[in-house]
Amino acid sequence: MDNPLSQNPDSTWSQYFRNAELEKMVNQDLSRLYREHESYFHTPGCQGMLRRILLLWCLRHPDCGYRQGMHGLLAPLLYVLHVDVERLLEVRKLYEDLFIDKFDGFSFEENGVAYNFDFKKFADSVEDEIESQGNSKQVMSLYELDPELQAVVLLSDAYGAEGELGIVLSKKFMEHNAYCMFDALMIGAHGSDAYGLGLLNLFLLLLIKAKLLLGSYKLHSLQSKFLFLHPCQVDDGVVLPDEASLYLTAIEDAEYKDDKIEFWNNVYGFDMSCIKKQAMMEPLVDTVDQKQIVTNCHLLKTMDISKMVLGDASFTAPFKLIAERDDYIHAFVAYFDVSFTKCHKLMGFSTGPRSRATHWKQTVLYLEDVLTICEGETIIGSMTVAPNKKNPRDVDIMVKYSLSGRRCVVSRVQFYKMR
């Protein structure tokens, strides 16, 4: 029997945990998908189809696996199919007479019950002349019908009189069609243009796919640059936002750290501090109260997004944080600002704790030490950021910091892994 703690990658439990991690990543991305169009993309039906298609495709292609951004490629395909189905339903309502199923008058039941139907509805489709006293005829079995008529009844009535169009543009087949389109796009199957993707759209999507399979989709603007500025490098091409700045500050957060981190020192009498070390290595993405801020906000790095290349996602930046009051420091907090400098009017927004809350919130990196700092004292250090070598979607962070104050002297290096 498989051991859940087994390190064998081929064991049933290892596969289970890999699948669980895959589903977690997919769900996380789907929860952030096209927030401005929540009316469709965040409905249970759409989310369910996207989730099933992505999970199935990734399980069938383990050599590729899941990459952040795949949901962004699949969603427009599903939306196009959704719109087609909705438009067909609208047309059917407007021209109901043209879409009447010629077999709507049938009432078929099993075990010898009569099959009643109105010959007036489908007289044109029946070649044999039927003689009867009225407009209807009693048939005791489906097999009493002409063989050709039997085939028409059994095959056509399931999808309606519109035939193949009704099959293709059907909610029953929408998920299947979306999977086929996505599969053709990702693996370059023959006939992908048969689904109606224009050559231009297909070309642009394939460009994104090529970048996607090369590694990280973490910096969305890099893909935007690749899509809109390359390979022609047009002089007037614009990527918005075109400028981003990364900031660092320090906060007091004793209540949360005691509840979520220090908790592992004594779990109902058991020392589980080994888990505490792992818990501290994963940054917390949450909203920070501006009243918790203890120091100034230091600018780590400013990036011109329109000129970035993939290697620019890795960097080391020094920082100097000056205490604005006497307090304790439990964590560093990172956030970013973006600017639209190429617009007719300078615009932008901040994701910092002193600004209006955004979808991105802030990134909290808890410290092993509790720093006691006095007003005017400084914390100096550096932050190194790079994509993880095994999984480019993850980000490895190293923070070096030191404080030589009246009440606290410390120098330490901490490592974090942003998932």
Side-chain angles (χ1 to χ4, degrees), residues 27 41 106 167 252 263 292 334 356:
N27 288 337
F41 290 110
F106 284 26
I167 297 175
E252 180 280 326
F263 161 81
Q292 297 176 258
R356 181 180 177 181

Side-chain angles (χ1 to χ4, degrees), residues 9 21 34-35 41 44 48 51 53 211 238 242 300 331 365 371-372 378 402 413 416:
E21 183 66 21
Y34 299 148
R35 282 293 185 182
F41 290 110
R51 182 179 299 105
I53 293 172
K211 296 294 289 183
V238 176
D242 57 297
L300 289 172
L365 302 96
L371 308 183
T372 304
T378 61
S402 62
V413 178
Y416 304 88

Side-chain angles (χ1 to χ4, degrees), residues 212-269:
L212 186 65
L213 296 182
L214 285 177
S216 176
Y217 205 81
K218 183 67 77 172
L219 291 178
H220 181 272
S221 294
L222 293 183
Q223 275 63 36
S224 298
K225 172 195 171 186
F226 183 84
L227 177 61
F228 294 110
L229 298 184
H230 289 279
C232 55
Q233 285 287 359
V234 293
D235 295 332
D236 57 349
V238 176
V239 173
L240 297 174
D242 57 297
E243 187 176 288
S245 300
L246 181 65
Y247 290 87
L248 189 71
T249 187
I251 63 168
E252 180 280 326
D253 199 12
E255 183 177 355
Y256 185 93
K257 188 178 180 184
D258 287 341
D259 184 40
K260 303 297 183 181
I261 305 295
E262 303 300 336
F263 161 81
W264 295 107
N265 290 331
N266 185 352
V267 183
Y268 304 106

Side-chain angles (χ1 to χ4, degrees), residues 108-154:
F108 295 107
E109 297 183 16
E110 299 290 339
N111 301 326
V113 179
Y115 294 82
N116 299 312
F117 52 93
D118 188 346
F119 278 96
K120 280 187 175 181
K121 279 192 175 183
F122 56 91
D124 294 338
S125 65
V126 179
E127 296 180 358
D128 296 337
E129 181 178 355
I130 303 215
E131 297 181 359
S132 63
Q133 294 181 353
N135 292 326
S136 63
K137 179 179 180 180
Q138 197 78 0
V139 179
M140 296 305 296
S141 170
L142 178 64
Y143 300 103
E144 294 181 18
L145 295 174
D146 180 86
E148 292 185 2
L149 186 57
Q150 290 182 32
V152 173
V153 171
L154 293 175

Side-chain angles (χ1 to χ4, degrees), residues 70-300:
M70 283 184 173
H71 65 306
L73 294 179
L74 172 61
L77 303 181
L78 188 62
Y79 181 71
V80 169
L81 294 172
H82 165 74
V83 171
D84 286 343
V85 171
E86 294 299 313
R87 293 294 182 269
L88 178 63
L89 293 177
E90 292 178 6
V91 171
R92 290 190 64 170
K93 290 179 181 179
L94 292 175
Y95 304 97
E96 187 173 356
D97 293 341
L98 300 179
F99 283 88
I100 290 179
D101 191 335
K102 296 179 180 179
F103 304 100
D104 283 344
F106 284 26
S107 58
F108 295 107
E109 297 183 16
E110 299 290 339
N111 301 326
V113 179
Y115 294 82
N116 299 312
F117 52 93
D118 188 346
F119 278 96
K120 280 187 175 181
K121 279 192 175 183
F122 56 91
D124 294 338
S125 65
V126 179
E127 296 180 358
D128 296 337
E129 181 178 355
I130 303 215
E131 297 181 359
S132 63
Q133 294 181 353
N135 292 326
S136 63
K137 179 179 180 180
Q138 197 78 0
V139 179
M140 296 305 296
S141 170
L142 178 64
Y143 300 103
E144 294 181 18
L145 295 174
D146 180 86
E148 292 185 2
L149 186 57
Q150 290 182 32
V152 173
V153 171
L154 293 175
L155 296 177
S156 299
D157 195 54
Y159 305 108
E162 61 267 31
E164 292 183 1
L165 178 63
I167 297 175
V168 174
L169 300 181
S170 166
K171 290 185 178 180
K172 299 177 183 178
F173 288 85
M174 188 163 65
E175 187 170 340
H176 168 76
N177 291 339
Y179 178 89
C180 292
M181 294 170 69
F182 182 73
D183 183 56
L185 173 65
M186 297 304 296
I187 67 175
H190 296 294
S192 59
D193 57 345
Y195 292 99
L197 292 174
L199 292 178
L200 176 60
N201 290 335
L202 180 59
F203 176 68
L204 295 178
L205 289 173
L206 288 173
L207 285 178
I208 296 177
K209 182 211 73 171
K211 296 294 289 183
L212 186 65
L213 296 182
L214 285 177
S216 176
Y217 205 81
K218 183 67 77 172
L219 291 178
H220 181 272
S221 294
L222 293 183
Q223 275 63 36
S224 298
K225 172 195 171 186
F226 183 84
L227 177 61
F228 294 110
L229 298 184
H230 289 279
C232 55
Q233 285 287 359
V234 293
D235 295 332
D236 57 349
V238 176
V239 173
L240 297 174
D242 57 297
E243 187 176 288
S245 300
L246 181 65
Y247 290 87
L248 189 71
T249 187
I251 63 168
E252 180 280 326
D253 199 12
E255 183 177 355
Y256 185 93
K257 188 178 180 184
D258 287 341
D259 184 40
K260 303 297 183 181
I261 305 295
E262 303 300 336
F263 161 81
W264 295 107
N265 290 331
N266 185 352
V267 183
Y268 304 106
F270 293 93
D271 183 359
M272 301 182 69
S273 55
C274 59
I275 299 179
K276 169 185 171 181
K277 295 178 181 179
Q278 294 298 318
M280 291 190 64
M281 286 186 65
E282 185 166 347
L284 171 71
V285 178
D286 203 353
T287 302
V288 173
D289 190 334
Q290 61 177 324
K291 295 179 181 179
Q292 297 176 258
I293 299 176
V294 179
T295 70
N296 65 313
C297 299
H298 182 91
L299 174 62
L300 289 172

